[in-house]
Amino acid sequence: MRTLNLKLGPVYSRLADDSDLRGLNTATLPANYKLRHHQAQTWQAFSNSGANVIFDTALTGDGKSLAGQLPMLTEGKYALLMYPTNELIKDQVKQVEKYIKDFGLERTYQTLYSDSITEEVEKNASLSRSSTILSWLSDRDYILSNPDLFHLMSSYNYGSNQNKREYVYHIPESIDYFIFDEFHIFGPPQVIEVMNILSYHKVAAPHRHLKYVFLSATPTLMFKKLLENGGFQIKEIKGVYSSLPAAGYTDNPIVQPVSLHLHSLNEKGAFAWAEEHLAELTEFFHTNRKAKGVFIVNSVATAKRLVAYYKREFEDKAIIKVGENTGLTDAKTRLDAMENPDVQLIIATSTVDVGVDFKINLLIFESYNAGTFIQRLG
């Protein structure tokens, strides 16, 4: 296997200055919040421009989620927040709760996906799935959902014939704006679905002046071209960065220095790499007693093999404890892997690499295209 070693420097993000914040109600911000340039510009684009589609393309880890949520936190807007995986929805609940507390708000939120609906219906047998969803759309300030369910409800494809119409009406009437987080992960079918719904809203609810915020470090040119052809006014916001500490930038880097080692895999894939580099990884954990790492692979089958392998090589020899987080891992095991301080190596699939926040100092991952590589490195 060929190897390429690179040293990546730190990255500092530019803070918002007075000109960035002019015209914004900054009195609503918590005293300890210092907005970054791109966050203030996204807020400006939402509140003080004619744009109805806003792209924030700041780097991964630079606070795009806060940028998108500022209108709902500072202006009392009702928002539908969409994430590409249910795992990410669960993770982002903690962030929304933190923002509500930090901003001193009394706002309600609701996760909206299959399991959360089923759980509510099971608690109250008199409720149907449709009545539960419609109640949430009417009574909650923020809804956290996924784009697939959003598409089904917005295109007459969910529920009974009567409820199909109710969803299509309720969504644009109950919501002020829509946030699409990690949008670069959406595949072409999802992009087309979103484009169709935005176009429908434009025709069916022009009085609502709806806005759409897309948070993605790597937006697709295809989607922006579709929006332009559809008559949408687009505003793209970019972060401003420095590789050195400087006045007007974050005190701490948003990206720490990284030692990056690139390995070409043979036909046996990540498992063969794990066998070949076992001694290297063992030495790392012997040297760094409190280290925590994640090994992200492309398939559940590979992840399961690695869990068994590393448990035999590490746990059975009392070196470190190994955890698991895949789409087929039960909730208790996933929680233990992410929150148990004794777990020092997590074997995972894409359930953890899409915006889920966790603190590590070792990352091993395989990628099959540039988008996956950028996402996992971020």
Side-chain angles (χ1 to χ4, degrees), residues 78-127:
Y78 293 79
L80 175 57
L81 300 83
M82 278 163 286
Y83 305 93
T85 68
N86 292 341
E87 192 71 20
L88 184 52
I89 294 174
K90 299 171 190 175
D91 181 76
Q92 288 300 306
V93 164
K94 293 177 287 186
Q95 192 66 68
V96 169
E97 288 175 342
K98 181 181 184 300
Y99 289 149
I100 291 173
K101 180 180 178 181
D102 289 352
F103 280 75
L105 302 175
E106 294 184 4
R107 306 294 297 274
T108 58
Y109 69 88
Q110 179 63 53
T111 59
L112 176 55
Y113 55 93
S114 181
D115 288 350
S116 66
I117 302 167
T118 300
E119 183 179 338
E120 185 68 15
V121 171
E122 288 177 349
K123 285 193 301 185
N124 191 337
S126 65
L127 293 176

Side-chain angles (χ1 to χ4, degrees), residues 6-12 59 241-245 253-260 377:
L6 299 173
K7 294 287 186 180
L8 305 182
V11 177
Y12 298 83
L59 292 179
Y241 303 103
S242 170
S243 59
L244 297 172
I254 63 166
V255 177
Q256 298 290 340
V258 174
S259 296
L260 181 62
L377 181 61

Side-chain angles (χ1 to χ4, degrees), residues 17-32:
D17 59 23
D18 290 342
S19 63
D20 295 322
L21 298 170
R22 190 172 296 120
L24 298 173
N25 185 14
T26 55
T28 58
L29 295 173
N32 61 334

Side-chain angles (χ1 to χ4, degrees), residues 100-204:
I100 291 173
K101 180 180 178 181
D102 289 352
F103 280 75
L105 302 175
E106 294 184 4
R107 306 294 297 274
T108 58
Y109 69 88
Q110 179 63 53
T111 59
L112 176 55
Y113 55 93
S114 181
D115 288 350
S116 66
I117 302 167
T118 300
E119 183 179 338
E120 185 68 15
V121 171
E122 288 177 349
K123 285 193 301 185
N124 191 337
S126 65
L127 293 176
S128 67
R129 297 180 73 85
S130 295
S131 63
T132 297
I133 296 172
L134 291 171
S135 173
W136 287 346
L137 289 172
S138 300
D139 300 337
R140 303 296 194 271
D141 301 320
Y142 317 139
I143 300 289
L144 291 80
S145 189
N146 59 60
D148 293 323
L149 187 55
F150 170 67
H151 169 253
L152 291 174
M153 293 191 299
S154 301
S155 58
Y156 297 94
N157 285 300
Y158 194 88
S160 65
N161 288 333
Q162 179 181 352
N163 290 328
K164 287 177 182 177
R165 293 191 294 273
E166 289 292 318
Y167 295 135
V168 173
Y169 170 79
H170 263 282
I171 289 175
E173 291 298 327
S174 303
I175 305 297
D176 293 316
Y177 76 112
F178 302 80
I179 300 173
F180 297 86
D181 210 343
E182 305 287 355
F183 188 69
H184 58 282
I185 295 174
F186 291 20
Q190 290 175 310
V191 170
I192 298 301
E193 290 169 0
V194 171
M195 185 67 215
N196 288 340
I197 295 165
L198 266 60
S199 299
Y200 173 79
H201 286 174
K202 188 176 182 182
V203 174

